[in-house]
Amino acid sequence: MEKAAQLGVWVDYGQAILIGYAGGEAWEMERITSPLAKGRREEGEGNDTTRFTPNHEHTSNNEYRKHQTEQQETTEYLKQLEQELVRYKEVFIFGPGKAKEQLRNRLKENKAFRSAWVAIENSDKMTPNQLLAFVRDFFRKNEPV
């Protein structure tokens, strides 16, 4: 397979799929799994995600610590994606949810992407063939400015 001139990235908080595009053809290059682990329980937690402290009159679900851990994992995931995308000057980011906006905002702050063309679009979950067709159609219709 030839080197991709342009890159499509389907991203959500669970994984990112990198899709190369060159010469009118699209192909899946890599899948990057997120370190985020939804529903992970801390040691000592019960089914209601409540952790009992030595003081049995006080319970805590440690929301602050869980939130901070999730934020750190999200930042690590987006940083890993950013390092993968730095080689490309034309990037198309798509997917459900807010992960794509967070990634785009991170790229805007990075000096390495100042001259890059970055496009973003909403999409749902797709089959592998739908992903390839979506990227192929996008790059055929849209030329970087």
Side-chain angles (χ1 to χ4, degrees):
M1 204 46 67
E2 61 185 288
K3 183 171 173 15
Q6 298 155 316
L7 186 71
V9 181
W10 184 92
V11 64
D12 70 1
Y13 289 115
Q15 73 173 341
I17 302 171
L18 306 182
I19 300 165
Y21 178 82
E25 291 300 316
W27 64 95
E28 184 177 319
M29 295 171 45
E30 184 178 1
R31 287 180 184 251
I32 299 173
T33 304
S34 170
L36 289 170
K38 298 285 182 191
R40 177 175 36 195
R41 288 200 180 139
E42 298 292 325
E43 185 178 330
E45 273 185 344
N47 288 338
D48 61 356
T49 67
T50 302
R51 184 180 178 130
F52 291 94
T53 63
N55 179 357
H56 295 292
E57 296 173 1
H58 179 272
T59 61
S60 170
N61 64 358
N62 299 304
E63 285 183 48
Y64 177 77
R65 186 166 52 85
K66 286 182 180 181
H67 176 73
Q68 292 302 318
T69 301
E70 185 176 313
Q71 292 300 315
Q72 289 171 352
E73 289 173 346
T74 300
T75 300
E76 178 185 319
Y77 174 54
L78 295 175
K79 187 176 182 180
Q80 181 182 3
L81 291 176
E82 183 180 5
Q83 290 170 351
E84 290 291 325
L85 303 181
V86 78
R87 300 184 289 248
Y88 300 92
K89 294 297 178 193
E90 298 174 17
V91 179
F92 170 47
I93 303 169
F94 62 106
K98 297 188 179 214
K100 63 186 173 298
E101 282 103 5
Q102 280 189 301
L103 180 58
R104 179 192 54 191
N105 292 340
R106 190 169 173 90
L107 298 181
K108 280 183 178 180
E109 295 171 4
N110 188 331
K111 291 180 183 179
F113 288 94
R114 293 248 165 91
S115 64
W117 179 76
V118 178
I120 187 168
E121 195 170 307
N122 288 326
S123 73
D124 289 329
K125 293 195 177 212
M126 300 180 194
T127 66
N129 287 337
Q130 287 173 325
L131 288 169
L132 298 178
F134 195 72
V135 169
R136 189 172 38 249
D137 293 344
F138 178 83
F139 281 119
R140 284 182 182 163
K141 291 177 189 172
N142 299 290
E143 290 295 321
V145 178

